[in-house]
Amino acid sequence: MTGDGTRTVRAGLPEAEAYAPTLPGPVFAAHYHLPGDAVGPYTYGRDGNPTWSLLERAISELESPGTDAETVVFSSGMGAISAVLLSQLRQGDAAVLPSDGYQLLPALVGRLAGYGVTVRTAPTGEDAQLTALDDRTKLLWLETPSNPGLDVCDIRRLAEAAHARGALVAVDNTLATPLGQRPLELGADFAVASGTKALTGHGDVLLGYVTCRDPRLAAEVRAWRKTVGAIPGPMEAWLAHRSLATLQLRVDRQAATALALAEALRDRPEITGLRHPGLPTDPAHQVAAGQMRGGRFGCVVSFTLPDKERADRFLAALRLVDDATSFGGVRSTAERRGRWGGDAVAEGFIRFSVGAEDPDDLIADVLRALDVASGAASDTAPAAAGG
């Protein structure tokens, strides 16, 4: 299988068996028949599950096709992130993390400091984390594109520099997805993601995963999952696998519409700081174009409105867009990111996640809402069904 569409539709499916479903249903089991010694693929519900195994194989085929990569799935993206950091770092080690990454990373930084790990941070853009590397660095953590600022770093360049100092490299691949970027092919040791977002794409599953090619590293991450019990439910794993079949269709539609929306916003006078890696004028575009695949620059567009009040009026005026957190879903969402705290963004900063709506309808709704927020139009558009 060489095409992304073919791969996503077929990923992780078992061998065909007469009268059996092509994708078996979820296996609900806390324990299994286990005669003799406690060995075998499935011994206890915290150790393994056939539904996880199919999903893990599918994700491995997407993150690192044609290799023996291994994936470990978790109950959430933070479970996956924590597993890498806490399974690899020990007292006296040093780690380098992005200063502009996901907002819960600072909480992990505090936890690591309590364990005696030195953490240095630097921004994603312009490969600034290079300056924080030294011979004590055990792990370099990259998030590219970063959330929510959408900066991009050169994975290959940073991985080579980290490996030269004996450090491992992990890349948060949540925003790009395996179809937009393959960190392991670019030199990373771990590809990590929240499957809650674009991977599953329907806003109904919490999930995370870690993929790596080194069996020893995979075993360490898997042992951490077993120890802390951060396991996904079988229903969530099955829903995630079911959703993978449409990943290429969703990612391509959302990336194309996100770029079109960004282009439509470029000349709006009330908008500053417009970011999308697909824009040729974006500061990250050149690096992104060199490592992100197939013109898939992600579904997120970010920009800043003059103040909190203008941002809130804009969000309230939208009819095809839910005011909700997260990103990557088939229904567009947007939020004033500053309401959560933890991100170094202005009060009027908007993170906009483009869904699978018709591009013309979505862009028209956004432009109308901007007009309403600025007082240039009245909010008289009819509400969308179910919106």
Side-chain angles (χ1 to χ4, degrees):
M1 295 184 290
T2 57
D4 286 340
T6 302
R7 187 176 293 109
T8 55
V9 168
R10 306 296 306 178
L13 296 182
E15 291 294 325
E17 180 182 340
Y19 316 116
T22 53
L23 177 61
V27 174
F28 299 100
H31 57 265
Y32 305 86
H33 290 294
L34 189 62
D37 294 334
V39 295
Y42 306 108
T43 58
Y44 183 65
R46 194 177 66 251
D47 297 338
N49 179 288
T51 309
W52 304 352
S53 296
L54 293 177
L55 175 61
E56 289 173 339
R57 191 169 77 192
I59 294 173
S60 294
E61 290 172 8
L62 300 182
E63 283 283 0
S64 188
T67 74
D68 293 326
E70 297 181 44
T71 294
V72 184
V73 291
F74 289 83
S75 53
S76 70
M78 283 306 299
I81 291 170
S82 300
V84 173
L85 291 171
L86 298 175
S87 71
Q88 299 304 311
L89 296 171
R90 303 287 185 272
Q91 183 177 10
D93 289 341
V96 176
L97 276 68
S99 59
D100 54 345
Y102 181 52
Q103 63 161 335
L104 279 181
L105 284 180
L108 274 175
V109 169
R111 182 70 61 184
L112 290 169
Y115 293 157
V117 176
T118 300
V119 178
R120 292 183 291 273
T121 63
T124 298
E126 299 181 351
D127 298 346
Q129 287 170 274
L130 279 173
T131 63
L133 293 171
D134 65 15
D135 291 338
R136 288 183 55 216
T137 304
K138 175 71 180 299
L139 180 68
L140 169 63
W141 187 276
L142 307 177
E143 183 178 306
T144 180
S146 61
N147 171 31
L150 302 182
D151 268 322
V152 171
C153 61
D154 187 330
I155 296 172
R156 191 179 299 280
R157 181 187 183 206
L158 285 157
E160 289 174 353
H163 289 156
R165 293 181 178 274
L168 297 169
V169 178
V171 177
D172 187 326
N173 203 33
T174 301
L175 199 147
T177 81
L179 297 190
Q181 188 169 263
R182 292 179 185 157
L184 300 182
E185 291 184 357
L186 297 169
D189 300 287
F190 303 93
V192 188
S194 167
T196 309
K197 311 296 195 298
L199 188 85
T200 55
H202 290 78
D204 54 9
V205 172
L206 286 175
L207 195 86
Y209 70 85
V210 179
T211 304
C212 45
R213 292 176 174 176
D214 186 332
R216 178 184 62 83
L217 296 177
E220 291 171 355
V221 171
R222 190 174 290 107
W224 181 264
R225 179 182 67 180
K226 176 180 178 179
T227 301
V228 300
I231 60 173
M235 190 66 191
E236 286 77 6
W238 183 85
L239 284 169
H241 198 169
R242 183 278 318 263
S243 299
L244 279 183
T246 60
L247 181 62
Q248 188 223 10
L249 300 174
R250 292 185 281 107
V251 165
D252 285 355
R253 173 66 171 258
Q254 291 167 280
T257 304
L259 179 56
L261 175 63
E263 290 171 340
L265 296 177
R266 282 192 297 185
D267 297 327
R268 295 290 303 204
E270 71 270 47
I271 283 178
T272 57
L274 175 66
R275 296 298 303 270
H276 179 68
L279 283 172
T281 55
D282 190 275
H285 179 71
Q286 184 174 355
V287 175
Q291 68 187 21
M292 298 184 77
R293 305 176 58 254
R296 299 171 180 130
F297 295 104
C299 63
V300 177
V301 178
S302 67
F303 55 91
T304 302
L305 292 171
D307 50 41
K308 175 181 181 294
E309 291 71 26
R310 181 79 70 92
D312 285 340
R313 291 199 300 271
F314 164 69
L315 293 169
L318 291 165
R319 291 292 175 264
L320 299 179
V321 182
D322 296 329
D323 187 346
T325 195
S326 199
F327 58 84
V330 292
R331 288 171 289 278
S332 292
T333 61
E335 69 171 335
R336 190 179 61 80
R337 190 63 184 166
R339 65 183 176 178
W340 294 98
D343 291 314
V345 296
E347 286 292 337
F349 180 92
I350 300 293
R351 185 182 70 180
F352 195 108
S353 173
V354 172
E357 298 88 357
D358 286 307
D360 290 346
D361 292 341
L362 182 64
I363 292 170
D365 187 47
V366 171
L367 297 180
R368 181 196 55 78
L370 287 171
D371 288 341
V372 170
S374 66
S378 61
D379 190 8
T380 57

